[in-house]
Amino acid sequence: MAAVTPLIATSGLKKHFGGLRAVDGVDFSVMPGEVRAVIGPNGAGKTTFVSLICGRIEPTAGTISFDGSDITKLPAHRRVRAGIAYTFQITSVFSNLSAYDNVALAVQRTLTDGRAVGHLREGVMAALSATGLADRLHEIAGSLSYGHQRLLEVAMGLALKPRLLILDEPTQGLSDGEIENFVALVREVAREATVLIIEHNMPVVMALADRITVLDAGKVLAEGAPDEIRADAAVQAAYLGAGA
Amino acid sequence: MAFGPHLLLATLEGLVNSAVLALTALGLSLVFGVMRVVNVAHGEFYMLGAVLAWWVASLVSGHPALGFLVALVVSPLIVGAIALASERLVLRRLEYNPESTIVATIGLLYIFQQAALTFYGPEARPVEAPFSYRVLLPWFGYSGYKLAVIAASALLLAGTWYMLTRTKIGLVMRATQYDRETAQAFGIPVTKVYAGVFALGAMLAAVAAVLTVPISQAHYLMGRDPLLLSFIVVIIGGLGSLRGTVIAALLVGLSDGIISVFYTPTLAKIIATLLVAMVLVFRPQGLFGTAAR
Amino acid sequence: MSGESSPAKHYGLHAALIALLAVLAFLLPEYHHGVFARVMVLAVFAMGYNLLFGYAGLLSLGHAMFFSAGLYGAGLTMVHLGWGVLPAFAAGLVAGALLSLAIGFLALRTTGVAFMIVTMMFAQVFYLALFYFGSWTRGDEGLVIAQGQRRLSFAGVDLDLTSPVTRYFAALALFSLVLVVTLAVVRSRFGRVLVAIRENEERTRMLGFDAFANKLAATVLSGVICAAAGAAYAILFGYVGATFASIQYSILPLLWVLLGGAATTLGPLVGTLLMFYLIDSSGDLLKAWLPGWNLSSLGIVGVALVLLILFFPKGILGTVRERWVRWLP
């Protein structure tokens, strides 16, 4: 393992909003092929942390590297082209466009960048089929049910053919049945991509994650295999015990 | 005339410009600050103030001061009523959406302007000044009325400042500006505040126009320059800031007068407009940082 | 609007419209013949505006400067340098391209209301500059391009662009070209990205698109199309004046597009045509009803703007698409 370059790594990463230290010196790395979960109490800085990785916001200090090269200064759209896809915590599909057009935007990006080949339509249908939305391609995204909008969001992420897929609380608001399908879908994705998932639902985390990172107050509190995290007293005090 | 007196004259003229501009721009700034509405028709409220002042003064016989004083009260009231009607019939229905209201106020601009052309006509007409006393300086005589305009404007600005910072009405307005939803939750009647602010903004422009009319005549196209200059002042001065507006009005009013002494007015306008556009491009937070939704 | 659907219907509809306009050249009475030629050129201006406002969602209040860049680019080179029609037209396009590139580069750093004000101010600078350089432009009075210069000679053909029939078909040729280009852009991947930026810029960026570069490309394309309209106007109608750079000519394309339907390919023509006849006929009606009043067309523009934004924000074809013809591009 040590000889392999981490796919994504941060060093001394900080983000301060005025006096608030949302992310406060995080050293972090994920190996290619891993499914990594990031957990922590509300306000621990999880979304800020992944937003720094995908480039939506700029860090106050520290560096980020992707597959060995420094991407700290790279604008968000260039990171996406390099293979980092981010699905939004608050569903953020194009609600006035059809499901087809939503996914087509992602597919045409990878076609333009040469990271995928073939026809636009085939790529779109593949992503819609993978998420079970194939029969809804003409529907306007805003008229889909909430669960389907979350899946469409994931379909857009998949269609970007990412090397690193970041899922920000993907199961929030989904029914039990939908969550089950979703876990199966992420397992499928994980065969080709590295997955970084922020999740509150502990059964989902335990079912999917190879390793877990626990953030608290902008710092890494613990990191390890699911069983180690479950047994960690500090984690229990900060998070698991605190009513999760 | 030697350079020194020439500069003094330019400065005095600049101060008169600044005084009128500060009142007009304050109206625009209040409306934008509290309602987030860019009122493109603001210059037309100014024009209506002047045209109505001529109309009112022409109805009053007797000493010119009487006609002027009646106009100073009646004209802004009528303009305020027109603004109230516009707010109720148009802006409120658009739910104060920033982009829709710009399009709508452009429409209002043309409607007011053409209404003035229809009912008032294309002529430029003056209102007689309430007094014609000339202040004799060692180098030249200067209109006492112009000095009175500066004083009156300063008085009105002070009054507005007092209202905004020391009274309950001001508090309610600032609360609405700060956070509309929270203000509503605390029982502030936001729609009434908006209507009041829009009328107040228009009335400030109208008062400024009435003060100006004895100096420069009333004309149906006279709203354009005050609109542009008010934009400039509001952008430089920062939104909703009374102090910023006054300082920027002084800056713009004085420099407009002084620059025109040395350059052609066209070049002065080109440079000023370009500079302000650049302020917006490179320091948008000054005015619009919180406006973009 | 998805490029997924009905290319045959889309191109068929547009071809039919172009054919209809060609036939009308022989059917219209003289006065309306002239109106249509003018409206087609102005509709090109509206189509350029619509590309940026309707599809990319950028509301500019300064597009008169792009129209005028074409108008003066063609007009000044013809009057002062004696250039022929084709090089003068090209000069108009280049002027529009350079100006829109520079303005886009600056103005696109802002969004929303600030973008509207900034574009308006840049257009005002352009307008004032026309007066500052009045010795060449002759300001409001303007320049008249000599009839003899408004001829197009190539490959042994000599076209007199001052003749009504030739002028009509020259206007139709430009209109058709821009209409087809617009349709192709709207159906393209680039068009889809523009709509995505309009709907949700942040999300589009997180799909790997450079929002600024795409908006800049749209601004330049829009600027060049508007400049083409301006250059054609100078050449076909022979007059170049500062009025065309005034704020009023930045508002008019907005009005035409709002009336016809923003983000519809045919809306600009519909809006321009209707507004032209509305102003045209209302002038006569008002004079008949209210003799001696100084009403001008601007009042109608004002009323139309307020009514449209209040009651009819999607415009004619936008409403048609929403209610009846879903596939309308």
Side-chain angles (χ1 to χ4, degrees):
Chain A
M1 281 290 274
V4 182
T5 318
L7 184 67
I8 189 85
T10 71
S11 156
L13 197 62
K14 288 183 185 175
K15 179 67 191 180
H16 298 171
F17 297 105
L20 174 73
R21 301 176 167 206
V23 172
D24 195 16
V26 170
D27 300 314
F28 175 86
S29 66
V30 180
M31 289 299 158
E34 235 188 287
V35 175
R36 172 71 63 91
V38 176
I39 64 172
N42 285 328
K46 304 182 296 289
T47 293
T48 308
F49 177 63
V50 292
S51 295
L52 290 167
I53 290 180
C54 70
R56 289 176 69 205
I57 52 178
E58 284 179 27
T60 310
T63 58
I64 308 165
S65 67
F66 182 65
D67 200 13
S69 49
D70 188 344
I71 59 163
T72 314
K73 297 281 177 223
L74 210 60
H77 65 269
R78 297 281 296 278
R79 297 189 200 191
V80 177
R81 292 183 203 176
I84 301 178
Y86 174 79
T87 69
F88 283 67
Q89 176 181 10
I90 298 157
T91 302
S92 168
V93 295
F94 299 97
S95 51
N96 290 325
L97 305 188
S98 66
Y100 180 94
D101 277 334
N102 269 273
V103 180
L105 280 159
V107 176
Q108 75 184 48
R109 183 72 256 162
T110 56
L111 290 174
T112 308
D113 297 345
R115 289 190 298 116
V117 287
H119 289 289
L120 184 62
R121 191 181 165 82
E122 286 163 13
V124 175
M125 292 318 295
L128 285 174
S129 302
T131 47
L133 293 171
D135 53 340
R136 301 185 183 273
L137 77 162
H138 290 303
E139 283 185 38
I140 297 298
S143 65
L144 294 171
S145 71
Y146 181 78
H148 284 143
Q149 290 192 26
R150 298 282 329 161
L151 286 173
L152 184 59
E153 181 85 46
V154 175
M156 291 159 80
L158 290 183
L160 284 171
K161 302 266 179 237
R163 298 172 67 195
L164 174 67
L165 177 62
I166 302 173
L167 299 163
D168 196 348
E169 304 208 8
T171 65
Q172 199 178 40
L174 295 191
S175 70
D176 287 350
E178 286 171 328
I179 288 178
E180 211 168 289
N181 290 337
F182 177 79
V183 169
L185 176 62
V186 174
R187 285 216 177 97
E188 193 66 28
V189 173
R191 299 210 297 217
E192 291 182 8
T194 306
V195 176
L196 182 59
I197 180 169
I198 297 181
E199 188 52 71
H200 272 304
N201 185 327
M202 288 315 285
V204 172
V205 171
M206 293 301 168
L208 283 175
D210 298 320
R211 289 173 72 80
I212 298 174
T213 301
V214 186
L215 283 186
D216 186 30
K219 290 188 158 83
V220 175
L221 183 67
E223 192 172 294
D227 289 341
E228 294 166 30
I229 296 300
R230 213 196 303 258
D232 191 304
V235 175
Q236 285 178 3
Y239 182 56
L240 297 177
Chain B
M1 211 186 297
F3 181 76
H6 202 129
L7 192 67
L8 177 64
L9 181 63
T11 308
L12 281 172
E13 290 290 301
L15 276 176
V16 177
N17 287 343
S18 305
V20 176
L21 184 54
L23 280 178
T24 318
L26 183 61
L28 190 71
S29 170
L30 271 179
V31 168
F32 183 76
V34 177
M35 303 170 67
R36 289 285 182 273
V37 164
V38 176
N39 178 19
V40 184
H42 193 68
E44 304 315 302
F45 288 136
Y46 177 91
M47 178 275 293
L48 287 177
V51 165
L52 288 167
W54 174 85
W55 180 67
V56 171
S58 71
L59 295 180
V60 178
S61 53
H63 193 271
L66 187 63
F68 178 82
L69 286 176
V70 174
L72 191 57
V73 176
V74 174
S75 164
L77 283 178
I78 302 178
V79 170
I82 296 173
L84 264 185
S86 317
E87 198 274 346
R88 181 67 58 95
L89 293 175
V90 180
L91 302 184
R92 188 176 301 183
R93 285 165 186 262
L94 294 172
E95 287 163 0
Y96 311 102
N97 173 294
E99 301 203 348
S100 307
T101 47
I102 287 202
V103 176
T105 53
I106 290 171
L108 291 175
L109 180 160
Y110 286 133
I111 293 173
F112 294 149
Q113 191 186 82
Q114 295 305 309
L117 175 62
T118 302
F119 296 107
Y120 171 83
E123 299 85 10
R125 302 187 182 101
V127 168
E128 205 173 324
F131 56 88
S132 55
Y133 178 73
R134 281 186 83 76
V135 180
L136 285 175
L137 298 174
W139 313 277
F140 53 82
Y142 197 71
S143 155
Y145 176 73
K146 285 187 178 177
L147 296 176
V149 167
I150 299 175
S153 166
L155 212 64
L156 282 164
L157 288 171
T160 313
W161 174 81
Y162 182 84
M163 190 198 75
L164 285 176
T165 55
R166 296 282 188 272
T167 67
K168 192 157 172 252
I169 299 173
L171 181 68
V172 163
M173 277 168 58
R174 280 180 292 138
T176 312
Q177 167 168 0
Y178 186 70
D179 185 340
R180 181 181 166 181
E181 270 80 36
T182 311
Q184 198 139 29
F186 276 91
I188 291 174
V190 169
T191 46
K192 277 189 188 156
V193 174
Y194 278 15
V197 165
F198 198 70
L200 178 65
M203 287 164 74
L204 281 170
V207 169
V210 181
L211 290 175
T212 315
V213 153
I215 303 169
S216 67
Q217 310 175 328
H219 185 256
Y220 82 103
L221 287 176
M222 73 190 290
R224 203 171 59 186
D225 279 356
L227 175 69
L228 208 65
L229 288 173
S230 296
F231 267 131
I232 293 176
V233 166
V234 172
I235 289 164
I236 296 179
L239 117 94
S241 152
L242 182 60
R243 197 176 48 181
T245 303
V246 173
I247 292 171
L250 274 172
L251 203 73
V252 172
L254 284 174
S255 60
D256 198 45
I258 292 172
I259 291 174
S260 347
V261 174
F262 299 103
Y263 298 98
T264 67
T266 312
L267 187 60
K269 274 187 195 166
I270 291 177
I271 293 171
T273 315
L274 200 57
L275 282 179
V276 172
M278 291 301 179
V279 168
L280 257 180
V281 169
F282 292 103
R283 286 199 57 85
Q285 64 272 35
L287 171 53
F288 293 102
T290 50
R293 289 210 257 192
Chain C
M1 80 105 232
S2 99
E4 147 82 345
S5 64
S6 42
K9 271 194 221 168
H10 283 177
Y11 283 102
L13 174 71
H14 290 68
L17 175 79
I18 291 167
L20 174 68
L21 286 169
V23 172
L24 282 176
F26 303 102
L27 301 179
L28 287 171
E30 191 186 333
Y31 173 73
H32 298 280
H33 190 272
V35 167
F36 267 65
R38 205 172 287 260
V39 162
M40 282 190 285
V41 174
L42 293 177
V44 171
F45 183 18
M47 284 193 276
Y49 187 82
N50 186 34
L51 203 63
L52 199 63
F53 166 61
Y55 291 98
L58 290 164
L59 203 166
S60 148
L61 289 179
H63 260 50
M65 67 180 144
F66 301 137
F67 182 81
S68 302
L71 190 82
Y72 279 93
L76 290 178
T77 50
M78 287 179 92
V79 170
H80 294 297
L81 304 175
W83 286 18
V85 162
L86 283 182
F89 188 75
L93 294 190
V94 170
L98 293 178
L99 184 67
S100 54
L101 186 68
I103 297 294
F105 199 77
L106 292 169
L108 288 171
R109 296 170 58 106
T110 65
T111 53
V113 167
F115 181 80
M116 300 164 79
I117 308 273
V118 165
T119 47
M120 187 170 81
M121 293 202 143
F122 280 128
Q124 184 69 14
V125 169
F126 186 97
Y127 175 67
L128 290 170
L130 290 177
F131 289 89
Y132 188 69
F133 297 105
S135 49
W136 287 291
T137 65
R138 300 194 34 212
D140 264 336
E141 193 186 331
L143 302 163
V144 173
I145 302 170
Q147 287 222 347
Q149 262 187 300
R150 292 157 56 200
R151 303 185 82 86
L152 185 55
S153 308
F154 63 98
V157 188
D158 187 42
L159 295 175
D160 177 7
L161 295 174
T162 61
S163 107
V165 175
T166 321
R167 183 158 68 188
Y168 187 98
F169 279 102
L172 179 60
L174 177 68
F175 171 81
S176 308
L177 176 70
V178 172
L179 184 68
V180 171
V181 166
T182 308
L183 181 62
V185 166
V186 167
R187 293 175 50 86
S188 71
R189 293 178 183 181
F190 173 54
R192 186 184 278 122
V193 174
L194 292 186
V195 170
I197 289 172
R198 178 189 77 197
E199 294 291 319
N200 187 341
E201 183 168 333
E202 162 81 349
R203 189 67 183 100
T204 312
R205 198 175 290 126
M206 294 313 294
L207 287 173
F209 295 99
D210 186 339
F212 182 84
N214 277 287
K215 288 196 286 188
L216 188 59
T219 307
V220 173
L221 185 60
S222 169
V224 169
I225 291 176
C226 294
Y233 200 93
I235 293 165
L236 295 180
F237 301 101
Y239 172 73
V240 169
T243 324
F244 291 108
S246 66
I247 174 88
Q248 190 192 332
Y249 274 82
S250 291
I251 308 288
L252 281 174
L254 168 66
L255 176 64
W256 296 329
V257 168
L258 274 177
L259 176 61
T264 63
T265 49
L266 300 176
L269 176 71
V270 173
T272 312
L273 194 64
L274 282 182
M275 206 62 218
F276 196 98
Y277 276 108
L278 179 65
I279 288 176
D280 207 36
S281 60
S282 65
D284 291 343
L285 286 179
L286 288 172
K287 277 206 184 72
W289 290 345
L290 308 165
W293 286 30
N294 290 307
L295 270 179
S296 87
S297 59
L298 285 174
I300 311 282
V301 170
V303 173
L305 271 177
V306 172
L307 292 181
L308 275 172
I309 201 78
L310 272 179
F311 302 110
F312 213 43
K314 292 204 155 107
I316 294 169
L317 290 186
T319 309
V320 167
R321 171 164 65 193
E322 195 176 56
R323 302 249 175 96
W324 300 291
V325 193
R326 296 299 297 269
W327 56 269
L328 208 63

